[in-house]
PDB file of all heavy atoms in Angstrom:
ATOM      1  N   ALA A 734      -5.026   9.202 -40.335  1.00 87.00           N
ATOM      2  CA  ALA A 734      -3.922   8.627 -39.649  1.00 87.00           C
ATOM      3  C   ALA A 734      -3.535   9.720 -38.555  1.00 87.00           C
ATOM      4  O   ALA A 734      -4.275  10.517 -38.294  1.00 87.00           O
ATOM      5  CB  ALA A 734      -2.623   8.297 -40.542  1.00 87.00           C
ATOM      6  N   PHE A 735      -2.172   9.656 -38.184  1.00 88.00           N
ATOM      7  CA  PHE A 735      -1.714  10.504 -37.107  1.00 88.00           C
ATOM      8  C   PHE A 735      -0.217  10.929 -37.263  1.00 88.00           C
ATOM      9  O   PHE A 735       0.421  10.102 -38.069  1.00 88.00           O
ATOM     10  CB  PHE A 735      -1.892   9.958 -35.799  1.00 88.00           C
ATOM     11  CG  PHE A 735      -1.155   8.562 -35.507  1.00 88.00           C
ATOM     12  CD1 PHE A 735       0.028   8.725 -35.077  1.00 88.00           C
ATOM     13  CD2 PHE A 735      -1.928   7.463 -35.947  1.00 88.00           C
ATOM     14  CE1 PHE A 735       0.742   7.444 -34.799  1.00 88.00           C
ATOM     15  CE2 PHE A 735      -1.186   6.157 -35.557  1.00 88.00           C
ATOM     16  CZ  PHE A 735       0.223   6.253 -35.172  1.00 88.00           C
ATOM     17  N   VAL A 736       0.251  11.850 -36.575  1.00 90.00           N
ATOM     18  CA  VAL A 736       1.704  12.339 -36.545  1.00 90.00           C
ATOM     19  C   VAL A 736       2.221  12.162 -35.027  1.00 90.00           C
ATOM     20  O   VAL A 736       1.482  12.481 -34.265  1.00 90.00           O
ATOM     21  CB  VAL A 736       1.858  13.720 -37.016  1.00 90.00           C
ATOM     22  CG1 VAL A 736       3.146  14.242 -36.789  1.00 90.00           C
ATOM     23  CG2 VAL A 736       1.496  13.892 -38.424  1.00 90.00           C
ATOM     24  N   THR A 737       3.317  11.625 -35.020  1.00 90.00           N
ATOM     25  CA  THR A 737       4.045  11.595 -33.711  1.00 90.00           C
ATOM     26  C   THR A 737       5.324  12.257 -33.826  1.00 90.00           C
ATOM     27  O   THR A 737       6.205  11.992 -34.730  1.00 90.00           O
ATOM     28  CB  THR A 737       4.214  10.122 -33.317  1.00 90.00           C
ATOM     29  OG1 THR A 737       3.017   9.379 -33.197  1.00 90.00           O
ATOM     30  CG2 THR A 737       4.905   9.975 -31.937  1.00 90.00           C
ATOM     31  N   VAL A 738       5.623  13.242 -32.853  1.00 90.00           N
ATOM     32  CA  VAL A 738       6.912  13.934 -32.908  1.00 90.00           C
ATOM     33  C   VAL A 738       7.625  13.432 -31.684  1.00 90.00           C
ATOM     34  O   VAL A 738       7.218  13.401 -30.686  1.00 90.00           O
ATOM     35  CB  VAL A 738       6.649  15.475 -32.726  1.00 90.00           C
ATOM     36  CG1 VAL A 738       8.039  16.173 -32.855  1.00 90.00           C
ATOM     37  CG2 VAL A 738       5.719  15.862 -33.934  1.00 90.00           C
ATOM     38  N   PHE A 739       8.891  13.003 -31.881  1.00 89.00           N
ATOM     39  CA  PHE A 739       9.828  12.487 -30.777  1.00 89.00           C
ATOM     40  C   PHE A 739      11.266  12.796 -31.094  1.00 89.00           C
ATOM     41  O   PHE A 739      11.628  13.135 -32.209  1.00 89.00           O
ATOM     42  CB  PHE A 739       9.451  11.015 -30.562  1.00 89.00           C
ATOM     43  CG  PHE A 739       9.850  10.155 -31.710  1.00 89.00           C
ATOM     44  CD1 PHE A 739      11.122   9.413 -31.848  1.00 89.00           C
ATOM     45  CD2 PHE A 739       9.049  10.029 -32.906  1.00 89.00           C
ATOM     46  CE1 PHE A 739      11.364   8.735 -32.952  1.00 89.00           C
ATOM     47  CE2 PHE A 739       9.281   9.409 -34.022  1.00 89.00           C
ATOM     48  CZ  PHE A 739      10.550   8.578 -34.044  1.00 89.00           C
ATOM     49  N   PRO A 740      12.110  12.670 -30.053  1.00 88.00           N
ATOM     50  CA  PRO A 740      13.442  13.117 -30.250  1.00 88.00           C
ATOM     51  C   PRO A 740      14.128  11.898 -30.892  1.00 88.00           C
ATOM     52  O   PRO A 740      14.148  10.809 -30.764  1.00 88.00           O
ATOM     53  CB  PRO A 740      14.089  13.191 -28.742  1.00 88.00           C
ATOM     54  CG  PRO A 740      13.089  12.246 -27.883  1.00 88.00           C
ATOM     55  CD  PRO A 740      11.835  12.378 -28.630  1.00 88.00           C
ATOM     56  N   CYS A 741      14.838  12.275 -31.967  1.00 92.00           N
ATOM     57  CA  CYS A 741      15.677  11.286 -32.806  1.00 92.00           C
ATOM     58  C   CYS A 741      16.563  10.554 -31.969  1.00 92.00           C
ATOM     59  O   CYS A 741      17.355  11.240 -31.036  1.00 92.00           O
ATOM     60  CB  CYS A 741      16.307  11.995 -34.002  1.00 92.00           C
ATOM     61  SG  CYS A 741      15.193  12.712 -35.194  1.00 92.00           S
ATOM     62  N   GLY A 742      16.810   9.301 -32.078  1.00 90.00           N
ATOM     63  CA  GLY A 742      17.621   8.342 -31.282  1.00 90.00           C
ATOM     64  C   GLY A 742      16.906   7.735 -30.219  1.00 90.00           C
ATOM     65  O   GLY A 742      17.372   6.857 -29.626  1.00 90.00           O
ATOM     66  N   SER A 743      15.600   8.131 -29.984  1.00 86.00           N
ATOM     67  CA  SER A 743      14.741   7.412 -28.972  1.00 86.00           C
ATOM     68  C   SER A 743      13.723   6.508 -29.694  1.00 86.00           C
ATOM     69  O   SER A 743      13.491   6.734 -30.907  1.00 86.00           O
ATOM     70  CB  SER A 743      13.999   8.464 -28.014  1.00 86.00           C
ATOM     71  OG  SER A 743      14.789   9.254 -27.393  1.00 86.00           O
ATOM     72  N   GLU A 744      13.274   5.591 -29.094  1.00 86.00           N
ATOM     73  CA  GLU A 744      12.310   4.726 -29.665  1.00 86.00           C
ATOM     74  C   GLU A 744      11.067   5.524 -29.868  1.00 86.00           C
ATOM     75  O   GLU A 744      10.629   6.385 -29.088  1.00 86.00           O
ATOM     76  CB  GLU A 744      11.917   3.513 -28.762  1.00 86.00           C
ATOM     77  CG  GLU A 744      13.212   2.522 -28.493  1.00 86.00           C
ATOM     78  CD  GLU A 744      12.635   1.549 -27.552  1.00 86.00           C
ATOM     79  OE1 GLU A 744      11.500   1.424 -27.121  1.00 86.00           O
ATOM     80  OE2 GLU A 744      13.557   0.682 -27.229  1.00 86.00           O
ATOM     81  N   GLN A 745      10.381   5.296 -31.054  1.00 88.00           N
ATOM     82  CA  GLN A 745       9.013   5.927 -31.314  1.00 88.00           C
ATOM     83  C   GLN A 745       8.050   5.588 -30.136  1.00 88.00           C
ATOM     84  O   GLN A 745       7.725   4.480 -29.912  1.00 88.00           O
ATOM     85  CB  GLN A 745       8.496   5.551 -32.623  1.00 88.00           C
ATOM     86  CG  GLN A 745       7.238   6.359 -33.035  1.00 88.00           C
ATOM     87  CD  GLN A 745       6.646   5.790 -34.365  1.00 88.00           C
ATOM     88  OE1 GLN A 745       7.422   5.432 -35.215  1.00 88.00           O
ATOM     89  NE2 GLN A 745       5.316   5.719 -34.403  1.00 88.00           N
ATOM     90  N   PRO A 746       7.479   6.548 -29.408  1.00 83.00           N
ATOM     91  CA  PRO A 746       6.620   6.267 -28.363  1.00 83.00           C
ATOM     92  C   PRO A 746       5.206   5.992 -28.794  1.00 83.00           C
ATOM     93  O   PRO A 746       4.784   6.260 -29.952  1.00 83.00           O
ATOM     94  CB  PRO A 746       6.630   7.588 -27.567  1.00 83.00           C
ATOM     95  CG  PRO A 746       6.884   8.658 -28.643  1.00 83.00           C
ATOM     96  CD  PRO A 746       7.799   8.009 -29.658  1.00 83.00           C
ATOM     97  N   ASN A 747       4.369   5.401 -27.917  1.00 84.00           N
ATOM     98  CA  ASN A 747       3.005   5.281 -28.144  1.00 84.00           C
ATOM     99  C   ASN A 747       2.362   6.496 -27.700  1.00 84.00           C
ATOM    100  O   ASN A 747       1.851   6.709 -26.681  1.00 84.00           O
ATOM    101  CB  ASN A 747       2.443   4.059 -27.213  1.00 84.00           C
ATOM    102  CG  ASN A 747       1.027   3.919 -27.361  1.00 84.00           C
ATOM    103  OD1 ASN A 747       0.367   4.116 -28.418  1.00 84.00           O
ATOM    104  ND2 ASN A 747       0.407   3.547 -26.167  1.00 84.00           N
TER     105      ASN A 747
END
Side-chain angles (χ1 to χ4, degrees):
F735 61 89
V736 167
T737 298
V738 183
F739 60 100
C741 294
S743 299
E744 295 178 5
Q745 182 184 325
N747 174 34

